[in-house]
Amino acid sequence: KCIKKKRRQKPHTQKHHTTLLVHRLFTSGAELTYSYNGLYPGHIQTNSFQKALLAVGSGVAALQDPYRHDMVAVLGETTGHLALINLRERMKNDPEGYTILTERPRIRLSTLDLEKMASLPDGSFGREYLRFLEENKVTPDSRAEVKFVDNEELAYIMLRYREVHDLLHTLLGMPTNMLGEVAVKWFEAAQTGLPMCALGAVLGPLRLNASRLQSLFTSLGPWALQNGRRARCVLSIFYERRWEQSLEDLRRELNIEPPPLTPSASNKRRT
């Protein structure tokens, strides 16, 4: 008899199974239930097993390609519950943070007065933020909506964290190349406690060359960790009302020191 041999899966195919499964969970409505009890638009209900699967799969995908924004977003949402609770308490205990939780502002092109920001003097926070967007060819509209956080208020805090990310680049004076992104992740890890930020802070240096590693470990890294730990909660600042404030004054108010050096803005990429 002719017996068919069982074909072995190619390693390339096996490697992508987890990523494909996570993608299906992330995009398909067949396996999961959307927006139960009107929690918030786009919410996807997941149980503990599904969250664990999403966390592992998205983590593997993000390791293979740190620029997979969708996988980084899933990893943050499925591992950040305790950190988000802590951030909520910090915001509620801050008058400005409490106002943000009450009013729920969004940082989008539709909410920004770009003409007014362009007319602000050099050195103002709004003008420098607009300069950052223009020079790096980025937009606040690129941030993904939250899907897997099972609490409406915590989901907003995760969304606020994402929309504040580019503002942190401006506050910290960091470009969007790999060294700048890693420095921001070190700051965010110390400031927020989000596991996703810690993972990025640990694994990001693996993609740096020797000279940039030296800059990170001897200068930018210690500065980012120190300032992240001691700074006021960066999610408790109503940035939309601070555009006219000078960048220098805002840093001083937040207890953030200017960077010891500014990395070259070459090889810009978003994370």
Side-chain angles (χ1 to χ4, degrees), residues 42-76:
H43 173 254
I44 302 176
Q45 182 178 359
T46 50
N47 57 36
S48 298
F49 173 76
Q50 289 170 324
K51 277 189 171 57
L53 178 63
L54 286 165
V56 172
S58 60
V60 171
L63 284 175
Q64 294 173 349
D65 182 1
Y67 300 108
R68 282 293 304 274
H69 303 161
D70 54 345
M71 294 295 100
V72 173
V74 175
L75 179 63

Side-chain angles (χ1 to χ4, degrees), residues 73-103:
V74 175
L75 179 63
E77 294 175 28
T78 53
T79 61
H81 182 70
L82 294 179
L84 290 173
I85 291 176
N86 181 58
L87 287 169
R88 177 172 62 184
E89 293 308 306
R90 292 173 66 186
M91 294 179 73
K92 284 185 174 181
N93 290 327
D94 184 293
E96 197 169 355
Y98 185 82
T99 301
I100 292 170
L101 289 177
T102 302
E103 297 188 15

Side-chain angles (χ1 to χ4, degrees), residues 248-269:
E248 182 180 352
D249 286 346
L250 185 54
R251 281 175 174 167
R252 190 159 42 242
E253 180 183 337
L254 294 177
N255 204 20
I256 295 176
E257 295 178 346
L261 61 90
T262 302
S264 169
S266 61
N267 301 321
K268 296 174 185 174
R269 290 197 64 176

